[in-house]
Structure formats: C-alpha cells, structure tokens
Amino acid sequence: MINVQDVITFYSEGKNNCCRTKEGIFKIKEKLYYLEENLPRKTFIRISNSVIVNIEKVRCFNTSIIGSILIKFEDGTEEYVSRRRVSDVMKFLKDRRD
C-alpha cells in the first residue's frame, strides 16, 4: 500500500499508469481520469494528459519560459506543464494562495 500523500506524481507511460514516490516508481491499476476525479483537489492537479502532480511535493515553479511552466520537485525531478493546462495551473495556484 502507498500513502497518497507520499506520491510525487501519477503518470502514464505507454499503456501503464504509475506513481512516483521518494521510494521509487510503482505501477498502479487506476486510470488517470479516475485519480483526477477522486484525489483531493487542493493537493493534486493535472498538468498534462499524462501527469498529475502533488502540489505538496513541489519545490518551485519556474515561469521564466514564455508560455510554459517548469515544475521542480523535492526529489530533484522536473515536469513541464502542457501549454493547454498552463492557465488551469495558474488559476489553481492563485485560488490556493487566496
């Protein structure tokens, strides 16, 4: 069993869905759309068609690249927000701050 609060990202790779924690990468059975609907909305956000991130595990957001956001995580990994989801992520961060 994996505690959902330990998950850094949920992602799709080929036909497999996985989650990444500090302890490693694990295959999961759940589909990303199911996770997106059922994970706590204040903690998890979808940043692309293939990635859902845990905001609690983010070290910083790099917005210096015009039209894109690079997310750096506590474990040193990085993910880009898809261009289609940039406005959703910005709104999520603004709402979270308020």
Side-chain angles (χ1 to χ4, degrees):
M1 294 291 291
I2 299 169
N3 184 343
V4 73
Q5 298 306 322
D6 294 334
V7 173
I8 299 168
T9 62
F10 292 100
Y11 64 96
S12 292
E13 190 171 69
K15 293 185 177 186
N16 297 314
N17 290 330
C18 303
C19 69
R20 187 174 73 239
T21 68
K22 286 184 179 179
E23 287 74 38
I25 296 172
F26 305 93
K27 285 186 182 178
I28 58 173
K29 294 180 182 179
E30 289 81 8
K31 302 290 185 194
L32 291 184
Y33 68 83
Y34 175 82
L35 292 170
E36 182 179 20
E37 292 173 2
N38 292 288
L39 288 168
R41 294 182 188 266
K42 291 186 175 189
T43 309
F44 291 89
I45 185 169
R46 193 159 193 162
I47 63 164
S48 69
N49 283 343
S50 59
V51 181
I52 298 172
V53 301
N54 182 346
I55 283 299
E56 303 291 325
K57 303 296 182 182
V58 171
R59 184 175 0 148
C60 70
F61 291 88
N62 183 343
T63 58
S64 64
I65 305 161
I66 296 174
S68 187
I69 300 172
L70 174 65
I71 301 174
K72 296 182 181 186
F73 297 96
E74 293 174 346
D75 68 345
T77 59
E78 301 175 341
E79 292 283 346
Y80 280 95
V81 176
S82 71
R83 289 183 186 208
R84 189 171 17 160
R85 302 231 182 215
V86 167
S87 62
D88 294 339
V89 171
M90 295 302 284
K91 182 181 180 323
F92 175 86
L93 294 173
K94 181 185 177 300
D95 291 347
R96 187 173 158 89
R97 184 181 53 190
D98 294 340

XYZ file of all heavy atoms in Angstrom:
815
model
N 0.826 -1.183 0.000
C 0.000 0.000 0.000
C 0.875 1.253 0.000
O 1.878 1.311 0.698
C -0.904 0.020 1.241
C -1.947 -1.082 1.274
S -3.240 -0.894 0.044
C -4.083 0.517 0.647
N 0.463 2.233 -0.763
C 1.174 3.501 -0.846
C 0.268 4.597 -0.299
O -0.890 4.704 -0.705
C 1.555 3.825 -2.310
C 2.469 2.735 -2.860
C 2.208 5.187 -2.409
C 2.690 2.820 -4.354
N 0.802 5.382 0.606
C 0.054 6.521 1.125
C 0.006 7.595 0.038
O 1.044 7.989 -0.483
C 0.730 7.056 2.388
C -0.050 8.175 3.037
O -0.929 8.787 2.449
N 0.298 8.442 4.278
N -1.171 8.066 -0.303
C -1.333 9.036 -1.391
C -0.545 10.320 -1.116
O -0.088 10.981 -2.053
C -2.826 9.301 -1.679
C -3.456 10.140 -0.593
C -3.022 9.947 -3.024
N -0.336 10.669 0.148
C 0.425 11.873 0.482
C 1.915 11.723 0.185
O 2.643 12.710 0.117
C 0.207 12.248 1.952
C -1.231 12.585 2.274
C -1.826 13.676 1.378
O -1.165 14.625 1.016
N -3.077 13.506 1.002
N 2.396 10.482 -0.002
C 3.797 10.234 -0.336
C 4.054 10.305 -1.837
O 5.201 10.320 -2.281
C 4.237 8.858 0.172
C 4.236 8.784 1.687
O 4.386 9.850 2.332
O 4.091 7.674 2.225
N 2.993 10.340 -2.636
C 3.120 10.343 -4.092
C 3.560 11.719 -4.576
O 3.010 12.743 -4.171
C 1.791 9.940 -4.764
C 1.873 10.101 -6.270
C 1.430 8.512 -4.389
N 4.566 11.730 -5.438
C 5.034 12.966 -6.061
C 4.246 13.216 -7.340
O 3.715 14.304 -7.539
C 6.549 12.888 -6.351
C 7.308 12.701 -5.036
C 7.018 14.126 -7.109
C 8.758 12.318 -5.206
N 4.159 12.200 -8.197
C 3.362 12.303 -9.420
C 2.694 10.970 -9.731
O 3.207 9.909 -9.382
C 4.208 12.686 -10.660
O 5.188 11.677 -10.907
C 4.887 14.025 -10.500
N 1.557 11.060 -10.383
C 0.926 9.937 -11.058
C 1.119 10.206 -12.538
O 0.951 11.352 -12.978
C -0.581 9.872 -10.758
C -0.919 9.518 -9.348
C -1.268 10.501 -8.438
C -0.911 8.195 -8.931
C -1.607 10.182 -7.132
C -1.254 7.862 -7.626
C -1.588 8.858 -6.731
N 1.456 9.178 -13.320
C 1.673 9.426 -14.735
C 1.426 8.177 -15.567
O 1.420 7.062 -15.047
C 3.084 9.958 -14.989
C 4.191 8.987 -14.643
C 4.748 8.185 -15.628
C 4.663 8.871 -13.349
C 5.762 7.289 -15.313
C 5.661 7.992 -13.028
C 6.215 7.196 -14.016
O 7.208 6.307 -13.709
N 1.216 8.409 -16.859
C 1.055 7.323 -17.821
C 2.341 7.188 -18.611
O 2.946 8.184 -18.994
C -0.073 7.627 -18.800
O -1.302 7.607 -18.148
N 2.718 5.945 -18.826
C 3.903 5.656 -19.628
C 3.553 4.470 -20.506
O 3.426 3.349 -20.012
C 5.083 5.348 -18.716
C 6.398 5.260 -19.433
C 7.542 5.172 -18.450
O 7.655 4.138 -17.769
O 8.311 6.138 -18.370
N 3.341 4.757 -21.785
C 2.863 3.707 -22.669
C 1.466 3.295 -22.262
O 0.576 4.117 -22.119
N 1.269 1.998 -22.017
C -0.042 1.508 -21.591
C -0.148 1.364 -20.079
O -1.165 0.916 -19.569
C -0.328 0.160 -22.253
C -0.513 0.261 -23.748
C -0.919 -1.057 -24.331
C -1.165 -0.892 -25.820
N -1.705 -2.111 -26.412
N 0.900 1.746 -19.366
C 0.924 1.602 -17.912
C 0.701 2.929 -17.210
O 1.131 3.971 -17.691
C 2.267 1.023 -17.448
C 2.511 -0.361 -17.992
O 1.623 -1.208 -17.956
N 3.695 -0.591 -18.508
N 0.039 2.871 -16.064
C -0.080 4.019 -15.178
C 0.799 3.745 -13.971
O 0.846 2.626 -13.462
C -1.527 4.244 -14.747
C -2.357 4.730 -15.905
O -1.874 5.395 -16.796
N -3.634 4.389 -15.886
N 1.512 4.790 -13.527
C 2.468 4.631 -12.439
C 2.354 5.785 -11.468
O 1.752 6.815 -11.760
C 3.900 4.616 -12.986
S 4.212 3.352 -14.227
N 2.966 5.600 -10.306
C 3.135 6.700 -9.378
C 4.597 6.727 -8.958
O 5.263 5.686 -8.916
C 2.197 6.595 -8.180
S 2.561 5.258 -7.057
N 5.095 7.930 -8.702
C 6.484 8.103 -8.284
C 6.496 8.645 -6.866
O 5.818 9.627 -6.561
C 7.227 9.052 -9.227
C 8.718 9.113 -8.925
C 9.497 9.943 -9.932
N 9.214 11.359 -9.705
C 8.692 12.177 -10.594
N 8.379 11.737 -11.792
N 8.482 13.447 -10.316
N 7.247 8.000 -6.005
C 7.459 8.453 -4.633
C 8.963 8.544 -4.414
O 9.746 8.176 -5.306
C 6.864 7.456 -3.607
O 7.624 6.252 -3.641
C 5.401 7.168 -3.871
N 9.385 8.995 -3.236
C 10.818 9.005 -2.915
C 11.382 7.595 -2.891
O 12.564 7.394 -3.135
C 11.058 9.679 -1.559
C 10.906 11.167 -1.594
C 11.256 11.771 -0.243
C 11.123 13.285 -0.315
N 11.441 13.913 0.974
N 10.538 6.614 -2.611
C 10.983 5.225 -2.526
C 11.108 4.547 -3.879
O 11.708 3.489 -3.992
C 10.029 4.416 -1.639
C 10.154 4.724 -0.162
C 9.550 6.064 0.214
O 8.495 6.426 -0.360
O 10.132 6.756 1.050
N 10.501 5.129 -4.922
C 10.597 4.515 -6.242
C 9.354 4.715 -7.079
O 8.468 5.495 -6.744
N 9.305 3.966 -8.169
C 8.198 4.030 -9.121
C 7.403 2.737 -9.006
O 7.971 1.648 -8.966
C 8.727 4.221 -10.553
C 9.435 5.566 -10.641
C 7.609 4.103 -11.573
C 10.176 5.792 -11.938
N 6.071 2.888 -8.963
C 5.195 1.744 -8.792
C 4.090 1.781 -9.835
O 3.523 2.839 -10.104
C 4.557 1.765 -7.396
C 5.566 1.829 -6.290
C 5.961 3.044 -5.751
C 6.139 0.665 -5.805
C 6.898 3.104 -4.741
C 7.080 0.712 -4.787
C 7.465 1.937 -4.253
N 3.767 0.623 -10.414
C 2.636 0.528 -11.338
C 1.347 0.557 -10.529
O 1.280 -0.006 -9.440
C 2.696 -0.763 -12.148
C 3.735 -0.755 -13.230
C 3.633 -2.009 -14.072
C 4.705 -2.013 -15.130
N 4.656 -3.243 -15.944
N 0.354 1.218 -11.092
C -0.951 1.281 -10.443
C -2.027 0.858 -11.432
O -1.825 0.920 -12.647
C -1.254 2.693 -9.888
C -1.207 3.736 -11.004
C -0.291 3.044 -8.769
C -1.659 5.117 -10.585
N -3.165 0.446 -10.915
C -4.266 -0.010 -11.765
C -5.196 1.116 -12.175
O -5.822 1.060 -13.221
C -5.078 -1.088 -11.046
C -4.322 -2.361 -10.815
C -5.180 -3.375 -10.099
C -4.395 -4.641 -9.830
N -5.205 -5.630 -9.126
N -5.304 2.160 -11.339
C -6.262 3.231 -11.588
C -5.896 4.045 -12.829
O -4.726 4.265 -13.125
C -6.350 4.168 -10.376
C -7.020 3.565 -9.179
C -6.087 2.680 -8.357
O -4.867 2.666 -8.641
O -6.576 1.993 -7.458
N -6.912 4.493 -13.517
C -6.734 5.379 -14.667
C -6.545 6.810 -14.168
O -7.058 7.180 -13.109
C -7.960 5.326 -15.591
C -8.272 3.944 -16.104
C -7.229 3.494 -17.087
C -7.624 2.141 -17.679
N -6.522 1.519 -18.362
N -5.843 7.626 -14.938
C -5.589 8.997 -14.518
C -6.871 9.804 -14.382
O -6.993 10.622 -13.469
C -4.625 9.693 -15.475
C -3.180 9.188 -15.445
C -2.318 10.044 -16.368
C -2.605 9.182 -14.054
N -7.840 9.591 -15.258
C -9.097 10.339 -15.141
C -9.807 9.990 -13.835
O -10.418 10.843 -13.206
C -10.008 10.140 -16.353
C -10.587 8.751 -16.503
C -11.727 8.364 -15.807
C -10.002 7.824 -17.362
C -12.262 7.097 -15.939
C -10.526 6.551 -17.506
C -11.650 6.201 -16.790
O -12.178 4.934 -16.920
N -9.724 8.733 -13.396
C -10.319 8.332 -12.118
C -9.595 9.019 -10.956
O -10.225 9.544 -10.034
C -10.255 6.811 -11.950
C -10.733 6.352 -10.597
C -12.086 6.191 -10.333
C -9.824 6.110 -9.570
C -12.536 5.792 -9.085
C -10.264 5.706 -8.314
C -11.610 5.555 -8.080
O -12.045 5.166 -6.838
N -8.268 9.026 -11.008
C -7.489 9.685 -9.961
C -7.783 11.177 -9.911
O -7.960 11.744 -8.845
C -5.989 9.456 -10.196
C -5.507 8.023 -10.014
C -4.080 7.880 -10.511
C -5.635 7.589 -8.567
N -7.849 11.804 -11.078
C -8.121 13.245 -11.144
C -9.452 13.585 -10.466
O -9.563 14.588 -9.773
C -8.130 13.701 -12.601
C -8.344 15.177 -12.766
C -8.326 15.611 -14.222
O -8.517 14.764 -15.114
O -8.127 16.805 -14.451
N -10.440 12.741 -10.653
C -11.757 12.981 -10.071
C -11.818 12.686 -8.573
O -12.630 13.263 -7.864
C -12.809 12.125 -10.786
C -13.051 12.537 -12.216
C -13.964 11.572 -12.958
O -14.441 10.595 -12.331
O -14.186 11.788 -14.150
N -10.956 11.793 -8.082
C -11.084 11.314 -6.706
C -9.987 11.762 -5.743
O -10.165 11.613 -4.531
C -11.180 9.783 -6.708
C -12.477 9.323 -7.320
O -13.528 9.468 -6.727
N -12.413 8.805 -8.531
N -8.903 12.303 -6.237
C -7.850 12.804 -5.347
C -8.263 14.159 -4.779
O -9.054 14.876 -5.398
C -6.532 12.947 -6.110
C -5.841 11.648 -6.484
C -4.715 11.918 -7.477
C -5.302 10.943 -5.252
N -7.721 14.535 -3.618
C -8.048 15.855 -3.048
C -7.653 16.982 -4.007
O -6.497 17.081 -4.416
C -7.203 15.911 -1.771
C -6.793 14.513 -1.489
C -6.811 13.779 -2.783
N -8.611 17.817 -4.367
C -8.381 18.877 -5.362
C -7.483 19.996 -4.861
O -6.944 20.753 -5.650
C -9.706 19.441 -5.841
C -10.502 18.419 -6.622
C -11.795 18.997 -7.144
N -12.616 17.955 -7.717
C -12.618 17.646 -9.002
N -11.837 18.286 -9.831
N -13.397 16.691 -9.446
N -7.306 20.102 -3.553
C -6.416 21.132 -3.020
C -4.956 20.696 -3.057
O -4.071 21.514 -2.859
C -6.800 21.494 -1.589
C -8.105 22.224 -1.503
C -8.379 22.693 -0.109
C -9.649 23.529 -0.114
N -9.863 24.191 1.157
N -4.729 19.415 -3.281
C -3.374 18.877 -3.243
C -2.875 18.401 -4.602
O -1.691 18.499 -4.890
C -3.310 17.700 -2.239
O -3.869 18.116 -1.002
C -1.886 17.249 -2.014
N -3.758 17.869 -5.441
C -3.360 17.286 -6.722
C -3.957 18.057 -7.889
O -5.119 18.448 -7.846
C -3.797 15.818 -6.795
C -3.039 14.931 -5.857
C -3.476 14.721 -4.566
C -1.864 14.320 -6.264
C -2.783 13.912 -3.697
C -1.154 13.509 -5.405
C -1.605 13.300 -4.106
N -3.135 18.239 -8.934
C -3.615 18.907 -10.146
C -3.011 18.217 -11.368
O -1.857 17.785 -11.356
C -3.284 20.416 -10.148
C -3.909 21.081 -11.377
C -1.790 20.649 -10.056
C -3.887 22.582 -11.354
N -3.815 18.131 -12.399
C -3.355 17.551 -13.659
C -2.626 18.626 -14.440
O -3.166 19.709 -14.666
C -4.540 17.014 -14.447
C -4.114 16.140 -15.592
C -5.246 15.262 -16.005
N -4.773 14.224 -16.894
C -5.438 13.134 -17.150
N -6.607 12.928 -16.586
N -4.964 12.230 -17.971
N -1.390 18.331 -14.861
C -0.596 19.317 -15.594
C -0.438 18.972 -17.065
O 0.067 19.781 -17.838
C 0.789 19.527 -14.947
C 1.617 18.245 -14.994
C 0.635 20.048 -13.520
C 3.086 18.459 -14.733
N -0.865 17.774 -17.449
C -0.839 17.363 -18.856
C -1.748 16.146 -18.994
O -2.269 15.646 -18.002
C 0.585 17.019 -19.306
O 1.036 15.838 -18.680
N -1.903 15.669 -20.208
C -2.735 14.482 -20.408
C -2.180 13.269 -19.679
O -2.914 12.357 -19.348
C -2.867 14.158 -21.895
C -3.845 15.070 -22.583
O -4.655 15.723 -21.947
N -3.761 15.126 -23.899
N -0.870 13.264 -19.417
C -0.256 12.076 -18.841
C 0.299 12.255 -17.431
O 0.883 11.319 -16.896
C 0.858 11.580 -19.765
O 1.834 12.583 -19.931
N 0.118 13.428 -16.793
C 0.723 13.648 -15.471
C -0.228 14.391 -14.524
O -0.808 15.405 -14.884
C 2.046 14.446 -15.580
C 2.668 14.655 -14.212
C 3.036 13.757 -16.509
N -0.326 13.864 -13.303
C -0.997 14.535 -12.180
C 0.063 14.715 -11.104
O 0.788 13.768 -10.778
C -2.162 13.691 -11.625
C -3.238 13.490 -12.692
C -2.752 14.343 -10.377
C -4.336 12.521 -12.295
N 0.166 15.922 -10.538
C 1.209 16.186 -9.548
C 0.626 16.485 -8.177
O -0.492 16.985 -8.053
C 2.138 17.344 -9.972
C 2.803 17.051 -11.288
C 1.408 18.667 -10.023
N 1.433 16.184 -7.166
C 1.113 16.510 -5.785
C 1.772 17.852 -5.480
O 3.000 17.949 -5.416
C 1.647 15.420 -4.855
C 1.323 15.660 -3.408
O 0.919 16.746 -3.015
N 1.522 14.636 -2.601
N 0.995 18.885 -5.308
C 1.493 20.235 -5.057
C 2.357 20.285 -3.795
O 3.290 21.084 -3.709
C 0.289 21.203 -4.946
C -0.251 21.525 -6.333
C 0.617 22.448 -4.179
C 0.704 22.199 -7.271
N 2.074 19.425 -2.830
C 2.833 19.409 -1.574
C 4.283 18.964 -1.788
O 5.124 19.184 -0.921
C 2.157 18.479 -0.558
C 0.718 18.833 -0.244
C 0.578 20.130 0.526
O 1.438 20.428 1.355
O -0.411 20.841 0.273
N 4.582 18.334 -2.916
C 5.928 17.823 -3.199
C 6.704 18.726 -4.159
O 7.797 18.388 -4.595
C 5.849 16.413 -3.786
C 5.127 15.419 -2.901
C 5.857 15.213 -1.599
C 5.134 14.180 -0.741
N 5.763 13.988 0.542
N 6.141 19.890 -4.498
C 6.787 20.820 -5.425
C 7.768 21.705 -4.665
O 7.441 22.251 -3.619
C 5.732 21.693 -6.145
C 6.382 22.802 -6.941
C 4.859 20.826 -7.029
N 8.979 21.837 -5.210
C 9.967 22.749 -4.638
C 9.787 24.142 -5.207
O 9.835 25.126 -4.489
C 11.380 22.251 -4.918
C 12.423 23.114 -4.263
C 13.850 22.630 -4.383
N 13.986 21.393 -5.121
C 15.026 21.079 -5.852
N 16.032 21.884 -5.954
N 15.087 19.931 -6.499
N 9.586 24.243 -6.544
C 9.367 25.560 -7.146
C 8.725 25.430 -8.519
O 8.755 24.381 -9.144
C 10.670 26.353 -7.237
S 11.844 25.715 -8.441
N 8.136 26.549 -8.953
C 7.563 26.691 -10.284
C 8.433 27.684 -11.038
O 8.619 28.812 -10.575
C 6.130 27.230 -10.218
C 5.147 26.275 -9.638
C 4.919 26.234 -8.273
C 4.440 25.410 -10.455
C 4.004 25.360 -7.719
C 3.517 24.531 -9.913
C 3.304 24.504 -8.546
N 8.946 27.291 -12.179
C 9.765 28.178 -12.995
C 8.910 28.665 -14.159
O 8.553 27.896 -15.041
C 11.001 27.445 -13.505
C 11.928 28.325 -14.306
O 11.547 29.399 -14.760
N 13.155 27.865 -14.488
N 8.584 29.966 -14.144
C 7.754 30.545 -15.201
C 8.566 31.426 -16.135
O 8.001 32.209 -16.883
C 6.600 31.362 -14.591
O 7.156 32.376 -13.759
C 5.669 30.492 -13.782
N 9.892 31.292 -16.108
C 10.733 32.147 -16.941
C 10.645 31.790 -18.425
O 10.987 32.600 -19.275
C 12.193 32.091 -16.483
O 12.711 30.785 -16.660
N 10.172 30.592 -18.724
C 9.996 30.175 -20.114
C 8.640 30.687 -20.566
O 7.610 30.316 -20.009
C 10.062 28.645 -20.242
C 11.368 28.126 -19.650
C 9.912 28.213 -21.692
C 11.338 26.659 -19.328
N 8.621 31.539 -21.559
C 7.374 32.163 -22.002
C 6.398 31.100 -22.502
O 6.729 30.283 -23.354
C 7.650 33.216 -23.097
C 8.481 34.340 -22.497
C 6.348 33.741 -23.684
C 8.943 35.363 -23.501
N 5.187 31.138 -21.936
C 4.127 30.222 -22.360
C 4.205 28.843 -21.741
O 3.439 27.968 -22.109
N 5.128 28.631 -20.805
C 5.260 27.317 -20.195
C 5.636 27.452 -18.722
O 6.069 28.508 -18.273
C 6.328 26.499 -20.932
O 6.352 25.180 -20.448
N 5.462 26.371 -17.986
C 5.844 26.319 -16.577
C 6.629 25.028 -16.364
O 6.182 23.951 -16.760
C 4.604 26.314 -15.656
C 3.762 27.563 -15.860
C 5.040 26.191 -14.194
C 2.427 27.523 -15.120
N 7.793 25.164 -15.740
C 8.589 24.005 -15.358
C 8.417 23.810 -13.855
O 8.624 24.738 -13.077
C 10.069 24.227 -15.686
C 11.031 23.148 -15.212
C 10.752 21.826 -15.917
C 12.468 23.584 -15.440
N 8.009 22.613 -13.460
C 7.821 22.299 -12.051
C 9.010 21.468 -11.583
O 9.338 20.449 -12.187
C 6.517 21.521 -11.810
C 5.317 22.337 -12.289
C 6.372 21.156 -10.341
C 4.000 21.592 -12.212
N 9.641 21.904 -10.499
C 10.750 21.166 -9.893
C 10.252 20.576 -8.578
O 9.666 21.276 -7.756
C 11.943 22.086 -9.656
C 12.518 22.614 -10.952
C 13.733 23.476 -10.709
C 14.252 23.990 -12.051
N 15.512 24.714 -11.897
N 10.519 19.284 -8.391
C 10.027 18.565 -7.230
C 11.109 18.366 -6.173
O 12.299 18.499 -6.464
C 9.451 17.205 -7.657
C 8.267 17.321 -8.555
C 8.414 17.246 -9.928
C 7.006 17.525 -8.042
C 7.326 17.368 -10.773
C 5.907 17.648 -8.878
C 6.068 17.574 -10.246
N 10.679 18.022 -4.970
C 11.588 17.794 -3.848
C 12.655 16.751 -4.146
O 13.761 16.828 -3.634
C 10.802 17.326 -2.616
C 9.882 18.348 -2.034
C 9.026 17.776 -0.915
O 8.957 16.530 -0.763
O 8.423 18.577 -0.192
N 12.318 15.749 -4.957
C 13.266 14.672 -5.241
C 14.226 15.006 -6.384
O 15.008 14.165 -6.802
C 12.523 13.367 -5.541
C 11.749 13.397 -6.843
O 11.531 14.490 -7.398
O 11.332 12.314 -7.310
N 14.153 16.244 -6.910
C 15.065 16.666 -7.975
C 14.543 16.449 -9.387
O 15.171 16.883 -10.350
N 13.395 15.799 -9.535
C 12.830 15.585 -10.863
C 12.086 16.835 -11.317
O 11.792 17.725 -10.515
C 11.877 14.370 -10.883
O 10.827 14.592 -9.946
C 12.628 13.088 -10.554
N 11.791 16.887 -12.602
C 11.112 18.040 -13.195
C 10.048 17.575 -14.171
O 10.185 16.526 -14.795
C 12.112 18.920 -13.955
C 13.231 19.462 -13.106
C 14.260 20.234 -13.918
O 14.319 20.056 -15.158
O 15.003 21.014 -13.310
N 9.005 18.377 -14.302
C 7.931 18.137 -15.279
C 7.500 19.473 -15.849
O 7.459 20.474 -15.136
C 6.709 17.472 -14.632
C 6.899 16.055 -14.161
C 6.881 15.038 -15.277
O 6.462 15.368 -16.410
O 7.280 13.895 -15.011
N 7.155 19.485 -17.129
C 6.607 20.683 -17.763
C 5.089 20.621 -17.756
O 4.502 19.557 -17.954
C 7.071 20.807 -19.216
C 8.462 21.369 -19.344
C 9.561 20.529 -19.467
C 8.670 22.747 -19.340
C 10.834 21.045 -19.589
C 9.941 23.272 -19.455
C 11.019 22.417 -19.582
O 12.281 22.934 -19.684
N 4.464 21.746 -17.530
C 3.018 21.872 -17.663
C 2.727 22.015 -19.152
O 3.383 22.809 -19.835
C 2.497 23.110 -16.891
C 1.007 23.298 -17.107
C 2.833 22.992 -15.410
N 1.764 21.259 -19.662
C 1.418 21.383 -21.075
C 0.841 22.772 -21.325
O 0.215 23.372 -20.446
C 0.433 20.300 -21.504
O -0.842 20.539 -20.949
N 1.038 23.293 -22.505
C 0.557 24.639 -22.825
C -0.951 24.766 -22.628
O -1.448 25.792 -22.213
C 0.928 25.011 -24.255
C 2.406 25.247 -24.385
C 2.776 25.675 -25.768
N 4.232 25.728 -25.828
C 4.908 26.513 -26.610
N 4.276 27.307 -27.438
N 6.213 26.498 -26.596
N -1.649 23.701 -22.918
C -3.102 23.717 -22.769
C -3.526 23.837 -21.301
O -4.611 24.300 -20.996
C -3.675 22.443 -23.374
C -5.158 22.451 -23.465
C -5.749 21.321 -24.243
N -4.892 20.182 -24.488
C -5.327 18.982 -24.803
N -6.610 18.762 -24.891
N -4.510 17.999 -25.028
N -2.673 23.430 -20.377
C -3.035 23.414 -18.954
C -2.387 24.544 -18.145
O -2.600 24.638 -16.935
C -2.649 22.079 -18.349
C -3.317 20.920 -19.062
C -3.982 20.027 -18.126
N -4.569 18.897 -18.841
C -5.683 18.353 -18.480
N -6.339 18.805 -17.450
N -6.175 17.331 -19.150
N -1.600 25.402 -18.778
C -0.917 26.493 -18.065
C -1.921 27.383 -17.335
O -1.742 27.694 -16.153
C -0.020 27.317 -19.014
C 0.427 28.617 -18.365
C 1.190 26.503 -19.437
N -2.976 27.787 -18.007
C -3.952 28.679 -17.358
C -4.644 27.984 -16.184
O -4.915 28.617 -15.160
C -4.974 29.203 -18.361
O -5.714 28.147 -18.909
N -4.909 26.681 -16.294
C -5.518 25.932 -15.186
C -4.588 25.900 -13.973
O -5.040 26.062 -12.841
C -5.840 24.494 -15.605
C -6.916 24.404 -16.661
O -7.696 25.368 -16.802
O -6.981 23.358 -17.342
N -3.306 25.693 -14.221
C -2.332 25.643 -13.132
C -2.198 27.015 -12.481
O -2.166 27.128 -11.249
C -0.966 25.116 -13.626
C 0.103 25.265 -12.554
C -1.091 23.667 -14.066
N -2.139 28.069 -13.282
C -2.042 29.419 -12.732
C -3.274 29.753 -11.875
O -3.153 30.321 -10.797
C -1.871 30.450 -13.844
C -0.560 30.300 -14.612
S 0.897 30.418 -13.586
C 0.942 32.168 -13.311
N -4.459 29.366 -12.341
C -5.694 29.591 -11.577
C -5.660 28.785 -10.281
O -6.023 29.274 -9.214
C -6.911 29.235 -12.405
C -8.228 29.485 -11.686
C -9.410 29.090 -12.532
C -10.740 29.320 -11.890
N -10.881 29.101 -10.489
N -5.219 27.535 -10.365
C -5.110 26.675 -9.186
C -4.208 27.318 -8.139
O -4.546 27.374 -6.956
C -4.563 25.316 -9.606
C -4.293 24.375 -8.463
C -5.305 23.572 -7.959
C -3.030 24.275 -7.912
C -5.056 22.699 -6.905
C -2.768 23.409 -6.857
C -3.793 22.621 -6.362
N -3.059 27.817 -8.569
C -2.119 28.447 -7.639
C -2.687 29.725 -7.039
O -2.534 29.979 -5.839
C -0.790 28.718 -8.345
C -0.021 27.487 -8.779
C 1.189 27.877 -9.611
C 0.380 26.640 -7.581
N -3.375 30.521 -7.858
C -3.982 31.755 -7.359
C -5.065 31.443 -6.323
O -5.110 32.039 -5.252
C -4.582 32.567 -8.502
C -5.214 33.879 -8.063
C -5.896 34.563 -9.220
C -6.581 35.819 -8.819
N -7.625 35.674 -7.824
N -5.933 30.470 -6.645
C -7.007 30.088 -5.715
C -6.437 29.505 -4.428
O -6.981 29.729 -3.347
C -7.937 29.067 -6.363
C -8.755 29.674 -7.494
O -8.798 30.908 -7.623
O -9.350 28.878 -8.267
N -5.362 28.785 -4.529
C -4.735 28.163 -3.359
C -4.132 29.232 -2.447
O -4.127 29.091 -1.233
C -3.668 27.183 -3.835
C -3.055 26.351 -2.770
C -2.146 25.329 -3.412
N -1.167 24.839 -2.498
C -1.340 23.803 -1.699
N -2.469 23.148 -1.723
N -0.403 23.414 -0.878
N -3.624 30.283 -3.049
C -2.996 31.371 -2.293
C -4.039 32.182 -1.537
O -3.781 32.670 -0.443
C -2.206 32.261 -3.247
C -1.433 33.361 -2.582
C -0.703 34.196 -3.569
N -1.650 34.651 -4.588
C -1.301 35.247 -5.703
N -0.035 35.436 -5.969
N -2.195 35.646 -6.564
N -5.220 32.354 -2.143
C -6.285 33.181 -1.538
C -6.933 32.557 -0.367
O -6.887 31.776 0.299
C -7.372 33.504 -2.565
C -6.846 34.397 -3.668
O -5.820 35.059 -3.458
O -7.467 34.414 -4.742
